[in-house]
């Protein structure tokens, strides 16, 4: 651990030198600076950062990436822009839900979003986003819709969404349900994509609350949780594809009070952390354990930032 900490400290010092040169006007360092910022994001995920340091790196990398992507293609290796776009989207989108409400959430720029849509149209399969890049682009829309609808809550607790928000809700639901990974992709990537699909559906449906009774809404959500768990059971927790699944796992966990379902998620995250070892897997489980002690009405992905604020812990689910 001491050796790793020493190398990490040295790397940060060298990176600060590059930042200093960039600020001084040495723009030829833009590529190194952009890649370095994104690597720092991933490093904080691996370390299990609980102080929200990753959000600062994300904001820095976003502006630099926009600048880099406007440069002539001859200045950037051929396959790097696609990966950088995917990396930025994965890190940004999976971090939105856990942002301190007093701070603006990380956002996708129109440039990066447009490039991502181009990747989707050519069937891009990513290292981080697998076959579900199009689902990642829907998450910010669900995030902003949820905050608009919740702002409409009346004194008696009922929601009064605007007509446009009701239409947006229906359109997003249709897009999520229509998502179906191509049969030609790696079967484990396809299963992970379908787990992500259930996570995004639950995130959308939970805007209206997380009922745990025998209502139609509650039955629908319980069915989505069960489907997600059935999909998870079809591939091992030891595979690398699991490194991208903290986001759907936290959402699924925040949408169930069923003890058996919670135990399955607990065992999954324990196995992932035990074999893969990323720090955010451990922190995701710690956060879930805290959420599961709450009253049923507060077991919701929309309560995550409150729980983090309460514990003064800010993590990314990247």
């Amino acid at each position: 651990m001491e050796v790793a900490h020493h190398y990490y400290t040295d790397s940060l010092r060298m990176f600060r030198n590059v930042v200093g040169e960039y600020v001084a006007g040495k723009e030829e360092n833009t590529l190194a600076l952009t890649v370095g910022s994104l690597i720092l994001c991933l490093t904080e995920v691996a370390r299990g950062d609980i102080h929200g340091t990753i959000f600062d790196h994300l904001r820095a990398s976003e502006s630099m990436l926009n600048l880099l992507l406007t440069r002539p293609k001859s200045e950037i290796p051929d396959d790097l822009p696609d990966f950088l776009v995917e990396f930025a989207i994965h890190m940004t989108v999976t971090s939105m839900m856990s942002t301190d409400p007093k701070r603006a959430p990380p956002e996708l720029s129109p440039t990066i979003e447009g490039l991502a849509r181009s990747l989707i149209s050519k069937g891009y399969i990513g290292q981080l986003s697998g076959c579900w890049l199009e689902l990642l682009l829907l998450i910010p829309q669900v995030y902003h819709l949820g905050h608009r609808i919740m702002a409409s809550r009346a004194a008696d607790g009922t929601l009064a969404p605007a007509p446009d928000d009701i239409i947006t809700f229906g359109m997003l639901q249709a897009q999520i349900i229509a998502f179906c990974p191509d049969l030609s992709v790696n079967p484990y990537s396809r299963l992970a994509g379908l787990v992500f699909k259930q996570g995004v559906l639950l995130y959308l449906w939970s805007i209206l609350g997380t009922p745990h009774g025998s209502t139609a809404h509650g039955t629908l959500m319980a069915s989505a949780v069960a489907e997600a768990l059935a999909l998870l059971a079809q591939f091992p927790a030891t595979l690398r594809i699991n490194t991208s699944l903290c986001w759907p796992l936290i959402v699924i966990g925040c949408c169930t009070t069923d003890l058996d379902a919670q135990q399955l998620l607990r065992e999954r995250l324990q196995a992932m952390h035990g074999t893969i070892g990323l720090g955010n897997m451990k922190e995701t489980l710690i956060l879930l354990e805290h959420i599961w002690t709450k009253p049923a009405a507060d077991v919701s992905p929309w309560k995550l930032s409150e729980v983090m604020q309460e514990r003064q812990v800010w993590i990314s689910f990247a």
Side-chain angles (χ1 to χ4, degrees), residues 4 13 35 43 63 89 93 99 121 147 153 168 177 221 230 251 258 271 281 283 305 315:
R13 186 171 60 252
V35 174
T43 302
S63 58
I89 288 172
V93 168
T99 308
S121 67
H147 283 282
R153 194 181 299 278
T168 300
I177 290 173
M221 293 189 68
V251 172
D258 181 83
M281 296 171 177
E283 295 302 329
S305 60
I315 70 172

Side-chain angles (χ1 to χ4, degrees), residues 136-152:
L136 290 181
L137 292 185
L138 296 177
I139 291 173
Q141 297 180 56
V142 177
Y143 175 89
H144 291 299
L145 175 66
H147 283 282
R148 286 199 307 272
I149 289 179
M150 287 175 195
S152 74

Side-chain angles (χ1 to χ4, degrees), residues 168-188:
T168 300
F169 186 100
M171 290 174 65
L172 285 170
Q173 178 176 264
Q175 286 177 270
I176 299 164
I177 290 173
F179 171 76
C180 184
D182 193 288
L183 291 172
S184 65
V185 304
N186 177 289
Y188 294 134

